[in-house]
Amino acid sequence: MAGEITETGELYSPYVGLVYMFNLIVGTGALTMPKAFASAGWLVSLVLLVFLGFMSFVTTTFVMEAMAAANAQLRWKRMETHKEEEDEDSSTASDSDILTQDNYERAEKRPILSVQRRSSANLFEITDRVEMGQMASMFFNKVGVNLFYFCIIIYLYGDLAIYAAAVPFSLMQVTCVSGNDSCGVDTDAKYNDTDLCWGPLRRVDAYRIYLAVFTLLLGPFTFFNVQKTKYLQILTSLMRWVAFAIMIVLALVRIGNRQGEGHPPLANFLGVRNLFGVCVYSFMCQHSLPSLITPISSKRHVTRLLFLDYGLILAFYGLLSFTAIFCFRGDSLMDMYTLNFARCDVVSLAAVRFFLGLFPVFTISTNFPIIAVTLRNNWKTLFHREGGTYPWVVDRVVFPTITLVPPILVAFCTHDLESLVGITGAYAGTGIQYVIPAFLVYLCRKDTQLTFGYGTINKHRSPFRHTLWVAFVLLWAFSCFFFVTANIVLSETQL
């Protein structure tokens, strides 16, 4: 995501790619979804979830089409360069003058000859892993590239703030227990940050101590290069699915035993703002599609597999959220859903209670350094000057510091995870999921027609190929910006 062509990596089958994408999308946002569902009402939540899932699928196909167009551009430029080298080798010294800039641009933009057009379908094979930053630099102007990186950076800052708040919050909830509640979190009790935790220490003090320890342990990784290993990915994925399975089964058992406490409303439009942001955040995958789709060995039916994946994800989100809102009362649902299972009457085994209560600590802690390094590299790319290098202090101190400090300060000021996820998804998430893919596909189509000639067909073009779909996505995105902003202003005015 730092904006360059990277190694494709080891190839895998389409079904393995389907699993990887499922794991990427279903993450931290799913844990905040049950409370958002309870706040907005089950019918409104279901309709919005299905619609936002569909919109995410549309823009996913947009990004895939742009990836194919970028691959075709790169492949065509390599063909042109190879042809020029052959012409230079076969020409005399007097005829070996290099092309002027105008001639070079015309050579890049002239349509493919009819003989070459027969193999143009192969031009659009997705074989080079072209990250979104590189696609932005290929199809956007300078202002568009800067806006792209600004949006990515804001989103990653929100991601880090959510991670930095979720870990200490979970630790505080699990360890700050009253004398009569040795079982863990009491979701019926209304705790304030000023309530005592250990001796004279308040709950907010415990939260900030955990945040300081979290920063000291994981913050230094921002100053170095780290990579997610295959085995760490497998371990965290396994833990995630064990935790989700336990929560769904336990909730179904309680509902089946007539112990369900939830009576969610049909609709409550006051809760739509946070639900919208949470749902957008929970379908976020567009920025990582080059890493997921490029290594797929056969991309013949990749669009159908993506549709199947989104269907499975919708079903999973619906199952998780509906079992939650009918199992627990809306006012007792925690920001981090796993904490609802730290009660003795819900889970009798102490080991399972602690595993679910501390589940975000294990999984989020492994992702925090990866996101931090990605954000740091995006800062470097944004300010990169062609042929220039950064001084050691700027490269190793300034960029990591501006990466780490802002999200830690946000987490220090608030641990309201639902609002953090909602705001991140509603603003930066909307930009990444809707605005950037829409402009990418629109401009890549124009560029493809200019370079290869009208009538050239991109084999990976989106099923939503009419320009009206692009306009609809942009209209929806800007409507969302307006709705969320107006909702926030009205809420603050009422307060």
Side-chain angles (χ1 to χ4, degrees), residues 295-447:
I296 294 177
S297 56
S298 173
K299 303 177 181 69
R300 186 177 177 185
H301 302 297
V302 67
T303 303
R304 296 177 188 174
L305 287 175
L306 288 175
F307 184 77
L308 174 62
D309 225 345
Y310 270 93
L312 293 173
I313 291 164
L314 276 172
F316 173 78
Y317 281 161
L319 181 62
L320 180 72
S321 300
F322 272 87
T323 54
I325 62 178
F326 283 101
C327 180
F328 301 101
R329 293 196 322 272
D331 59 351
S332 70
L333 279 166
M334 308 289 287
D335 283 352
M336 194 65 64
Y337 180 49
T338 50
L339 295 174
N340 280 89
F341 295 88
R343 288 164 41 183
C344 285
D345 61 326
V346 178
V347 182
S348 57
L349 291 175
V352 176
R353 286 200 305 272
F354 278 101
F355 170 73
L356 292 177
L358 298 176
F359 161 72
V361 177
F362 304 131
T363 56
I364 290 175
S365 297
T366 59
N367 287 334
F368 185 88
I370 309 298
I371 302 297
V373 170
T374 303
L375 175 56
R376 184 199 68 192
N377 291 341
N378 274 279
W379 271 121
K380 289 182 180 181
T381 306
L382 180 62
F383 291 107
H384 180 67
R385 294 169 297 174
E386 195 65 34
T389 57
Y390 297 113
W392 185 89
V393 174
V394 174
D395 185 59
R396 296 298 181 89
V397 178
V398 174
F399 281 122
T401 301
I402 64 174
T403 296
L404 185 62
V405 171
I408 297 300
L409 288 177
V410 171
F412 184 84
C413 296
T414 180
H415 54 69
D416 187 349
L417 295 174
E418 188 183 13
S419 294
L420 285 174
V421 172
I423 292 172
T424 300
Y427 287 103
T430 299
I432 294 171
Q433 195 166 152
Y434 302 137
V435 179
I436 292 173
F439 278 113
L440 268 180
V441 78
Y442 177 74
L443 293 173
C444 88
R445 286 171 181 173
K446 291 182 64 176
D447 201 81

Side-chain angles (χ1 to χ4, degrees), residues 30-314:
L31 298 179
T32 60
M33 192 174 286
K35 185 176 179 180
F37 255 64
S39 301
W42 68 266
L43 182 60
V44 170
S45 300
L46 181 62
V47 171
L48 189 61
L49 180 70
V50 172
F51 180 73
L52 291 179
F54 169 74
M55 294 297 290
S56 180
F57 172 70
V58 171
T59 56
T60 295
T61 63
F62 284 175
V63 174
M64 194 168 69
E65 181 177 341
M67 287 166 54
N71 271 262
Q73 293 283 356
L74 293 171
R75 195 168 286 115
W76 175 240
K77 287 181 181 179
R78 285 197 289 265
M79 290 166 58
E80 285 289 304
T81 304
H82 183 65
K83 183 180 178 182
E84 289 171 6
E85 289 174 354
E86 286 182 344
D87 290 343
E88 286 179 2
D89 292 340
S90 62
S91 64
T92 60
S94 59
D95 296 330
S96 62
D97 296 334
I98 59 173
L99 290 171
T100 62
Q101 181 65 24
D102 290 341
N103 287 337
Y104 179 73
E105 289 179 358
R106 281 199 296 272
E108 278 191 321
K109 295 298 181 182
R110 71 171 180 267
I112 296 178
L113 300 176
S114 58
V115 176
Q116 293 166 325
R117 231 183 227 151
R118 293 172 191 165
S119 61
S120 64
N122 296 327
L123 284 170
F124 293 92
E125 287 289 353
I126 302 174
T127 54
D128 288 331
R129 180 174 153 184
V130 187
E131 302 290 354
M132 281 192 77
Q134 177 67 9
M135 286 191 282
S137 66
M138 292 174 70
F139 301 122
F140 292 169
N141 58 23
K142 187 176 180 180
V143 174
V145 172
N146 289 336
L147 289 175
F148 164 80
Y149 277 106
F150 176 77
C151 190
I152 286 286
I153 286 168
I154 295 299
Y155 172 75
L156 292 175
Y157 268 134
D159 239 4
L160 290 178
I162 293 165
Y163 287 2
V167 170
F169 178 74
S170 296
L171 288 169
M172 175 193 72
Q173 290 289 93
V174 170
T175 58
C176 286
V177 293
S178 60
N180 355 337
D181 184 23
S182 59
C183 286
V185 180
D186 183 0
T187 54
D188 292 328
K190 297 300 177 186
Y191 293 114
N192 294 317
D193 284 348
T194 54
D195 292 343
L196 295 180
C197 178
W198 315 307
L201 286 178
R202 301 169 301 169
R203 289 172 60 84
V204 67
D205 298 326
Y207 169 79
R208 289 171 179 170
I209 289 172
Y210 283 131
L211 177 60
V213 173
F214 176 85
T215 305
L216 291 174
L217 290 178
L218 296 180
F221 287 103
T222 312
F223 294 80
F224 306 102
N225 287 321
V226 294
Q227 291 184 341
K228 188 185 294 184
T229 65
K230 176 181 178 181
Y231 299 106
L232 185 61
Q233 193 177 46
I234 292 172
L235 177 62
T236 54
S237 295
L238 181 63
M239 290 177 62
R240 177 166 62 231
W241 288 114
V242 169
F244 280 132
I246 290 173
M247 290 187 291
I248 290 173
V249 169
L250 287 175
L252 285 172
V253 168
R254 284 179 61 82
I255 294 171
N257 292 336
R258 301 181 182 274
Q259 295 176 314
E261 305 165 352
H263 301 283
L266 197 68
N268 179 13
F269 292 99
L270 294 177
V272 170
R273 182 191 77 195
N274 274 342
L275 173 68
F276 169 78
V278 167
C279 289
V280 170
Y281 186 82
S282 298
F283 281 111
M284 187 65 64
C285 67
Q286 283 73 9
H287 57 296
S288 297
L289 286 175
S291 304
L292 287 170
I293 292 178
T294 307
I296 294 177
S297 56
S298 173
K299 303 177 181 69
R300 186 177 177 185
H301 302 297
V302 67
T303 303
R304 296 177 188 174
L305 287 175
L306 288 175
F307 184 77
L308 174 62
D309 225 345
Y310 270 93
L312 293 173
I313 291 164
L314 276 172

